[in-house]
Amino acid sequence: MNSDHLNTQLLHWGEEEEHPFGAVVPPIVQTSLFTYPDIQARLREFNPHGYDYTRSGNPTTELAERKIALIEGADRALCCGSGMGAITCAVMAMVNQGDHVVSIKTAYPPTLRLMNEYLPRYGVTTTLIDGFTVEEFEQACQPNTRLIYLETPSSMFFHLQDLKGIADLAKARDIVTIVDNSWATPLFQKPVALGIDLVVHSATKYMSGHSDIIAGVVAGSSALMERVNHARNTFGPTLDPFAAWLLIRGLRTLDVRMERHQKNGLQVASWLETQPGVKQVNHPGLNSHPQYELGRQQMSGYGSLFSVELTPCADEQAHAFVNSLRLFRIGCSWGGFESLVLGWPMREPEAGKRPWLFRLFIGLEHPEDLMRDLEQGLQKAFGSR
Ligand SMILES: *Cc1c(COP(=O)(O)O)cnc(C)c1O
């Protein structure tokens, strides 16, 4: 199957061999183990089918992995039972006792928990930085720094890091780089091509795209992925074959979904900038974003998750805004078909008012419906114009 086009690749890559019965959709190989014809074969650790035990490898899961490795431009990808499973395997496979890690401080909170609460137990320390400039990374590096952990754009404040600049710095010092690429997806950002060593994803989000599975993936060079494979096999965060099958289904439409998410997200975000009650919209695709230029350099498109800061108001007003939304349901996660909202007060109230930050995920609904919903929500909170 020769095509340079990602959508054709996502549909057909890895499926050159006919599926049983000529089925268009691959089977779910829902088995925990694979048997051998005789004990000699098992002792030689050779299985004619190439599989032994689903924790170590499964044909359905490997099909998802082949597709993801291709679109990330990586030698190899390995799926895990969650994004956190993937991140934990990637990080734990790269650090040793006495090592130092540099990470951005706005990474996904459970990722920070791994670094702040677990790694110190094994003698690995972490320095957290804003990470707006390459110099900041340079200054944070110590002689024992072995890992730089990135998430760009970060999924709450939408801060960016300079992938190429940081990769160059890390390579010169023999430091491994990992980036969480869940927000942009490999369709819009290709960290491996910019020199980043390992890419991790919460495949729960855009990659699967239907809010029906929890999944993760790590992708990178053969040498590093061998270490990640060993960690995955030891810690055991296997992706269930049925979830892998749903992930394959999601990947087939990633390209069309991302185009629509991008368009809807930018339309709603730029409209929100003009609305009363809105102080600031944090979306890397808006001209107003302080790192807009960096985003244009290293991404070819944008995800549809962003945050909105309301002008300081009483908590009741913020509650009225979010509780009156009908199409945006209140919930964590993102990346599925449906729009979502989540929010927090940003600090203690002054004279009864404080700013609130709402993270909006723009789903695949019609953007006019979403804007109408947000408009009535803002009116409930701040009154009509
Ligand atoms: C959700 C998320 C994760 C964790 O993924 P799970 O599949 O929930 O374990 C990691 N990084 C980012 C940016 C996320 O949004």
Side-chain angles (χ1 to χ4, degrees):
M1 197 275 310
N2 324 318
S3 170
D4 295 333
H5 299 287
L6 275 182
N7 59 338
T8 308
Q9 292 173 336
L10 280 167
L11 292 170
H12 299 299
W13 176 258
E15 299 181 58
E16 292 77 7
E17 272 177 40
E18 197 178 295
H19 301 310
F21 312 109
V24 120
V25 174
I28 312 172
V29 185
Q30 191 75 28
T31 185
S32 58
L33 79 153
F34 302 83
T35 57
Y36 294 78
D38 52 49
I39 192 67
Q40 294 94 320
R42 180 63 183 86
L43 292 174
R44 283 198 305 272
E45 289 193 82
F46 166 75
N47 189 325
H49 307 294
Y51 299 96
D52 178 60
Y53 189 50
T54 283
R55 198 183 73 238
S56 329
N58 174 286
T60 309
T61 312
E62 283 186 6
L63 179 53
E65 292 170 345
R66 279 202 295 280
K67 286 183 193 283
I68 294 168
L70 179 83
I71 59 173
E72 280 291 1
D75 296 340
R76 186 177 181 191
L78 288 169
C79 286
C80 290
S82 67
M84 276 317 297
I87 291 166
T88 303
C89 287
V91 170
M92 293 304 281
M94 295 303 133
V95 294
N96 288 299
Q97 189 177 27
D99 285 353
H100 174 253
V101 179
V102 176
S103 169
I104 59 151
K105 60 168 78 137
T106 52
Y108 183 66
T111 303
L112 294 176
R113 209 190 302 153
L114 172 67
M115 295 179 197
N116 289 333
E117 294 181 29
Y118 283 85
L119 294 189
R121 296 189 194 176
Y122 309 101
V124 177
T125 54
T126 301
T127 302
L128 298 178
I129 61 173
D130 288 322
F132 294 123
T133 63
V134 178
E135 292 70 47
E136 241 184 285
F137 283 90
E138 199 163 7
Q139 279 157 19
C141 281
Q142 301 173 6
N144 59 337
T145 303
R146 292 275 67 90
L147 175 65
I148 293 179
Y149 188 91
L150 309 170
E151 183 181 313
T152 178
S154 64
S155 59
M156 193 59 223
F157 296 97
F158 307 95
H159 296 166
L160 273 51
Q161 300 105 55
D162 179 346
L163 289 174
K164 171 99 176 49
I166 297 162
D168 290 346
L169 167 79
K171 282 207 192 318
R173 299 178 182 215
D174 213 13
I175 298 171
V176 171
T177 45
I178 302 180
V179 66
D180 185 330
N181 199 26
S182 304
W183 189 90
T185 82
L187 295 187
F188 293 152
Q189 181 165 262
K190 301 211 176 282
V192 172
L194 298 173
I196 296 295
D197 294 310
L198 290 175
V199 180
V200 292
H201 281 273
S202 173
T204 309
K205 313 291 164 55
Y206 281 135
M207 278 196 176
S208 62
H210 294 74
S211 298
D212 51 10
I213 64 165
I214 299 282
V217 66
V218 190
S221 68
S222 302
L224 292 183
M225 289 309 294
E226 198 43 54
R227 286 157 64 187
V228 174
N229 187 34
H230 194 266
R232 185 183 70 162
N233 203 3
T234 304
F235 300 139
T238 310
L239 184 63
D240 182 71
F242 181 49
W245 184 83
L246 287 169
L247 173 55
I248 294 165
R249 186 187 63 168
L251 287 170
R252 293 191 200 283
T253 57
L254 183 64
D255 176 68
V256 270
R257 287 187 288 109
M258 289 313 294
E259 265 179 42
R260 182 62 67 86
H261 281 300
Q262 160 166 247
K263 183 168 160 282
N264 287 4
L266 281 168
Q267 191 176 340
V268 175
S270 51
W271 171 83
L272 269 171
E273 281 195 305
T274 66
Q275 294 307 298
V278 172
K279 175 145 180 271
Q280 191 179 316
V281 180
N282 305 306
H283 185 309
L286 297 178
N287 249 313
S288 57
H289 191 282
Q291 295 170 292
Y292 174 73
E293 277 309 320
L294 174 61
R296 279 176 57 100
Q297 279 163 34
Q298 65 183 20
M299 292 190 282
S300 58
Y302 303 102
S304 62
L305 183 75
F306 59 89
S307 61
V308 176
E309 187 184 330
L310 299 187
T311 50
C313 62
D315 286 355
E316 293 72 28
Q317 289 174 280
H319 297 171
F321 163 65
V322 68
N323 290 339
S324 63
L325 297 177
R326 285 296 160 259
L327 282 172
F328 289 84
R329 299 177 65 180
I330 301 170
C332 65
S333 198
W334 52 276
F337 57 92
E338 77 290 13
S339 290
L340 293 167
V341 61
L342 209 55
W344 301 265
M346 292 175 75
R347 52 177 171 265
E348 290 304 309
E350 277 171 35
K353 291 184 171 190
R354 56 177 160 180
W356 277 68
L357 191 68
F358 285 100
R359 190 180 77 171
L360 296 180
F361 174 68
I362 305 302
L364 299 172
E365 299 90 349
H366 199 288
E368 281 172 14
D369 294 331
L370 296 176
M371 290 186 287
R372 194 156 7 107
D373 196 25
L374 291 165
E375 187 169 37
Q376 63 84 23
L378 287 168
Q379 278 171 7
K380 293 255 166 41
F382 295 99
S384 47
R385 277 188 213 243

